Amino acid sequence: MRIATPEDMRAYGARLAALLRAGDLVVLSGPLGAGKTTLVQGLAEGLKVRGPITSPTFVIARVHPSLHQGPPLVHVDAYRLGGDLEVDDLDLDASLEESVTVVEWGEGLVEGLADDRLEIRIDREAGDEARVVTLRGVGARWADTPSDPPEG
């Protein structure tokens, strides 16, 4: 799916949030500046969690509690993590069942946390600020993953 602007990326994230529930693991990948955090801002808006949503690069992980009885959002940035042992140190599996866990730069590091996960790849399109977003559902939970979530 082609996404033209950062505002469109946030709106896409808000629509995607309607598909998410407690226990979901979302793994985001793409180059620096692709729009991973912008997508998470939209997810947070759709999930109605406390913000602000900023890249947790130096803190590694932030928990954003729900403002309306929904699951909290655990936002992780694995960019600075050196491998599986450092991921284990975060103890993400302790909160996985009751939260929506979104991991930026998690490809190759966090897949072992859940048999079912949503993998989202964001790539830049040459020449403008457009992005190409590719969803890949892994496991039974995501067997019928739409590439463009319904308007909500």
Side-chain angles (χ1 to χ4, degrees):
M1 152 158 274
R2 184 178 189 278
I3 308 230
T5 67
E7 293 77 22
D8 292 340
M9 182 68 78
R10 278 188 281 281
Y12 179 77
R15 290 194 322 269
L16 188 61
L19 302 176
L20 299 175
R21 63 183 187 217
D24 284 343
L25 173 64
V26 180
V27 182
L28 300 179
S29 63
L32 278 170
K36 294 179 291 296
T37 301
T38 302
L39 177 66
V40 178
Q41 290 169 344
L43 291 172
E45 179 183 317
L47 290 170
K48 296 180 178 33
V49 298
R50 187 178 311 144
I53 305 300
T54 58
S55 179
T57 299
F58 295 101
V59 228
I60 311 295
R62 283 195 180 99
V63 177
H64 298 276
S66 176
L67 297 172
H68 77 87
Q69 308 295 344
L73 171 67
V74 176
H75 182 199
V76 180
D77 187 328
Y79 184 73
R80 297 190 181 280
L81 298 182
D84 293 342
L85 290 176
E86 289 186 21
V87 170
D88 287 346
D89 287 345
L90 292 176
D91 207 19
L92 294 175
D93 51 348
S95 63
L96 195 61
E97 286 186 27
E98 66 267 3
S99 303
V100 171
T101 303
V102 180
V103 184
E104 296 186 36
W105 301 98
E107 188 175 37
L109 291 172
V110 299
E111 290 86 351
L113 289 173
D115 292 334
D116 299 301
R117 64 187 172 278
L118 183 60
E119 297 176 350
I120 303 174
R121 171 97 192 155
I122 305 172
D123 287 297
R124 297 169 119 161
E125 216 172 64
D128 61 19
E129 59 183 21
R131 305 295 192 252
V132 176
V133 177
T134 306
L135 298 184
R136 178 176 175 259
V138 176
R141 161 80 174 99
W142 297 105
D144 298 318
T145 305
S147 62
D148 187 18
E151 295 288 333

